[in-house]
Amino acid sequence: MKFLYKQLLAFFLVIIVTIGATGIIFARFLVTNIYEEKEEQLFGYAEAVIDENMTLREVENGIDMISKQDVMLAMYNSQDQLIYPVVERNYASGLAPKDLSLLQKGERISLKERDRGFMNEEMSLVTVYLPLFNTATGSFSGFVAVASPVSGIQNDISNMRSGIQLAILLSGVIAILFSIGFANYLSRRIIRMRRATNEITQGNFEIHLDNFGRDEFDELSGDFNLMVDSLKNSQIEIERQESLRRQFMMDVAHEMRTPLTTLNGILEGWEHDMIPERSRKRSVEIMQNETRRMIRMVNENLDYEKIRSAQVVLVKQAIPCLATLTAVKEQLMKKAASKGNAVHVSVSSPDLTVYADYDRFIQILVNLINNAIQFTENGTITLTAHAEVDYTVIKVSDTGIGMAENELPAIWERFYKTDPSRKNNKYGESGIGLAIVKSLIDSHNGKIEVESARDKGTTFTIKFPKELNEKN
Ligand SMILES: Nc1ncnc2c1ncn2[C@@H]1O[C@H](COP(=O)(O)OP(=O)(O)O)[C@@H](O)[C@H]1O
Ligand SMILES: [Mg+2]
């Protein structure tokens, strides 16, 4: 069954039960009211007629007064004999002995229905009875009966009934119209959400539902919008990953092509005996270099993936800066000297330490210093270290060719080289070095920054959190 119909059914049930219950209660209440009113009215007439020391004449006057009101009156003596209206035959009131004794005790008898008139004529009456006492002696002297035809009450009741029925009908129709409108409104909101969901299924993430914060439907719309946003972001991320993957495959293919072409060329030369005797040693050297380059590239890529996927376990320790920087300098001195570069080390305090994984720390330094050597000729490379409040800071500066401002953001990407012609250099050259450095620094919770100016030089600043901060 459709939600709309379910709601309508629920509304109808509630409306019918409510109206039915209130109708019944109300009708009951009104019927009792009508009877009570009648009783009061009849007692009122009786009291208006009866007075102390009443003469028959006076009673007749009183009766004249009330006979217009569709009311009958009868008087009985203490022996339960009709004394007014005056007739030949003797009629009794027909009251039970129990009621008679109540009257003798001075109590009134409230509304009673009877199906005979006072003189046994055929008619339905409602009657009240009032005792009379002799004012002189105080003894029971008879009672008065005041009656009104039942048809009067029944008229009132049926008038009231049709009034209530009309009210129930009207309010029922109004309530049903309202509930149809309301149920329609709710299901339209649901339909709107369904349509939006369908749009999303078809890949439209621009969809947005109105949210006025009024009710649960609005809350649902809000959640729906959040869901759309997050779906949209995942979609963007999927596309980004896909384009990264494609770029990576292209880069790898590109990087492999040059060495493989070189190898192939030399091998073909060998096959056709086209390599002169004196070049043979040299060509083997070239082949070795190219294969080593490829192996290095493959290893660097594997290393990068491992660091990125947090498969590398860092064994952090306090490393003395002065000794370590000096050792790295010694290791790379020859390479630097071959390009006419001098290397200086300057550490703010001989006790300064850096909290890092030793092998990875060396790897970072070697990468940065190799770059500095690679892009500097007849210049100076400076390694410095000092402490800040939360970090140990190490800088690698050179006086080489530098980089333009707009190149800086991209240098951390894999395979990025500011100038494609730098490709076939002896060191680095596949563009992975800085990507690895960045990932390593990230896994140390450190920071890396670069400042550079064309033909002035470059400074890489790396910051490692101090041991104290790392452990908290
Ligand atoms: N000290 C430097 N001076 C000038 N350019 C640099 C320096 N270090 C890095 N670069 C630029 O950043 C690029 C990326 O460096 P890197 O990731 O180490 O790759 P690779 O050394 O394999 O080229 C280099 O190709 C170079 O263009
Ligand atoms: Mg490099």
Side-chain angles (χ1 to χ4, degrees):
M1 200 184 350
K2 282 204 159 196
F3 178 59
L4 175 68
Y5 301 139
K6 280 189 189 162
Q7 277 189 102
L8 282 180
L9 190 71
F11 286 146
F12 288 162
L13 286 179
V14 171
I15 289 166
I16 286 168
V17 169
T18 316
I19 289 183
T22 44
I24 289 169
I25 291 169
F26 199 56
R28 280 256 175 104
F29 171 73
L30 284 186
V31 168
T32 355
N33 228 28
I34 286 173
Y35 273 99
E36 272 170 9
E37 233 167 60
K38 193 87 213 173
E39 188 182 278
E40 228 164 77
Q41 189 192 15
L42 294 182
F43 276 130
Y45 290 145
E47 276 161 2
V49 172
I50 300 157
D51 205 356
E52 300 165 34
N53 302 320
M54 254 185 338
T55 63
L56 203 58
R57 172 99 211 112
E58 283 163 334
V59 171
E60 277 176 332
N61 274 346
I63 288 162
D64 274 349
M65 192 180 80
I66 61 171
S67 63
K68 290 153 203 146
Q69 311 275 339
D70 200 11
V71 170
M72 282 157 272
L73 186 133
M75 277 174 87
Y76 297 85
N77 63 15
S78 55
Q79 264 73 50
D80 192 18
Q81 291 165 334
L82 186 69
I83 52 171
Y84 178 89
V86 186
V87 283
E88 316 261 297
R89 266 189 65 187
N90 255 351
Y91 291 103
S93 66
L95 279 174
K98 196 181 75 189
D99 289 330
L100 283 174
S101 72
L102 279 179
L103 283 171
Q104 280 164 11
K105 279 180 201 148
E107 273 175 43
R108 298 166 162 207
I109 292 183
S110 55
L111 220 54
K112 276 202 182 293
E113 285 200 29
R114 47 189 291 164
D115 47 12
R116 292 272 157 186
F118 295 128
M119 281 149 306
N120 218 17
E121 58 277 54
E122 192 106 5
M123 62 195 326
S124 297
L125 293 175
V126 285
T127 318
V128 299
Y129 300 88
L130 222 74
L132 291 173
F133 292 92
N134 190 316
T135 34
T137 61
S139 62
F140 179 67
S141 63
F143 56 95
V144 178
V146 186
S148 170
V150 168
S151 61
I153 285 189
Q154 269 163 358
N155 247 351
D156 285 354
I157 288 177
S158 78
N159 278 348
M160 173 213 77
R161 283 239 166 92
S162 53
I164 288 180
Q165 270 158 12
L166 188 71
I168 284 179
L169 198 75
L170 270 182
S171 53
V173 167
I174 291 173
I176 283 169
L177 284 181
F178 263 109
S179 65
I180 288 176
F182 189 61
N184 235 326
Y185 165 70
L186 287 186
S187 48
R188 243 181 296 132
R189 292 173 79 183
I190 291 176
I191 289 170
R192 223 173 297 146
M193 280 184 197
R194 256 193 77 189
R195 248 184 245 141
T197 316
N198 282 338
E199 289 273 320
I200 289 171
T201 318
Q202 270 145 41
N204 174 10
F205 296 112
E206 299 309 317
I207 204 100
H208 191 89
L209 289 174
D210 289 337
N211 173 5
F212 303 106
R214 292 171 308 199
D215 56 13
E216 283 86 343
F217 275 104
D218 279 339
E219 280 166 19
L220 181 61
S221 302
D223 292 346
F224 182 91
N225 291 339
L226 287 180
M227 183 194 73
V228 175
D229 286 347
S230 105
L231 277 177
K232 190 167 145 188
N233 288 339
S234 333
Q235 188 61 30
I236 291 172
E237 180 59 19
I238 288 172
E239 277 159 20
R240 200 182 70 89
Q241 292 289 344
E242 175 57 19
S243 92
L244 279 181
R245 191 194 61 83
R246 213 175 297 138
Q247 184 64 43
F248 176 73
M249 293 309 289
M250 270 162 54
D251 286 339
V252 168
H254 185 82
E255 293 297 327
M256 303 282 264
R257 192 166 51 196
T258 319
L260 286 175
T261 314
T262 313
L263 286 177
N264 193 41
I266 296 173
L267 286 173
E268 271 175 12
W270 277 88
E271 192 188 13
H272 298 109
D273 253 343
M274 302 229 317
I275 297 176
E277 191 62 44
R278 57 189 157 77
S279 307
R280 291 202 171 174
K281 195 163 173 268
R282 173 77 192 125
S283 63
V284 169
E285 253 173 43
I286 293 176
M287 285 203 289
Q288 258 170 353
N289 273 345
E290 291 301 301
T291 39
R292 278 190 198 127
R293 199 155 77 89
M294 280 195 290
I295 291 169
R296 196 169 57 229
M297 196 184 83
V298 169
N299 284 338
E300 280 175 349
N301 266 303
L302 286 178
D303 194 30
Y304 175 79
E305 291 300 342
K306 270 196 209 148
I307 299 166
R308 284 288 298 250
S309 56
Q311 282 177 37
V312 168
V313 183
L314 299 178
V315 184
K316 293 190 200 172
Q317 53 181 330
I319 303 167
C321 287
L322 185 57
T324 314
L325 292 187
T326 314
V328 176
K329 169 189 155 177
E330 233 100 86
Q331 189 191 322
L332 297 172
M333 221 32 173
K334 247 179 84 187
K335 202 187 269 180
S338 72
K339 295 192 75 182
N341 293 326
V343 184
H344 297 300
V345 172
S346 143
V347 175
S348 66
S349 144
D351 306 325
L352 187 67
T353 59
V354 57
Y355 188 63
D357 178 288
Y358 185 77
D359 291 338
R360 296 304 186 172
F361 180 63
I362 298 286
Q363 189 182 0
I364 292 167
L365 286 181
V366 168
N367 258 301
L368 293 179
I369 299 167
N370 264 335
N371 278 353
I373 297 171
Q374 186 182 348
F375 300 109
T376 310
E377 254 167 62
N378 302 322
T380 320
I381 293 156
T382 318
L383 316 177
T384 66
H386 70 270
E388 276 179 8
V389 185
D390 295 325
Y391 295 96
T392 305
V393 184
I394 290 157
K395 290 182 188 242
V396 178
S397 326
D398 62 57
T399 54
I401 59 171
M403 288 171 277
E405 183 86 29
N406 60 355
E407 295 170 335
L408 295 182
I411 58 172
W412 315 110
E413 284 168 25
R414 214 169 355 170
F415 300 116
Y416 179 82
K417 286 153 271 194
T418 54
D419 177 0
S421 66
R422 295 179 183 180
K423 210 184 293 178
N424 277 319
N425 194 293
K426 220 173 160 188
Y427 320 106
E429 84 260 328
S430 61
I432 292 178
L434 285 179
I436 290 180
V437 167
K438 175 90 171 74
S439 313
L440 280 174
I441 299 279
D442 284 346
S443 57
H444 276 87
N445 302 321
K447 291 178 185 171
I448 180 160
E449 285 153 20
V450 59
E451 282 169 83
S452 190
R454 268 250 181 271
D455 299 322
K456 294 250 162 60
T458 308
T459 301
F460 282 94
T461 307
I462 51 179
K463 299 181 176 186
F464 289 88
K466 285 190 176 164
E467 187 169 357
L468 214 81
N469 297 332
E470 270 293 275
K471 284 186 175 157
N472 290 340

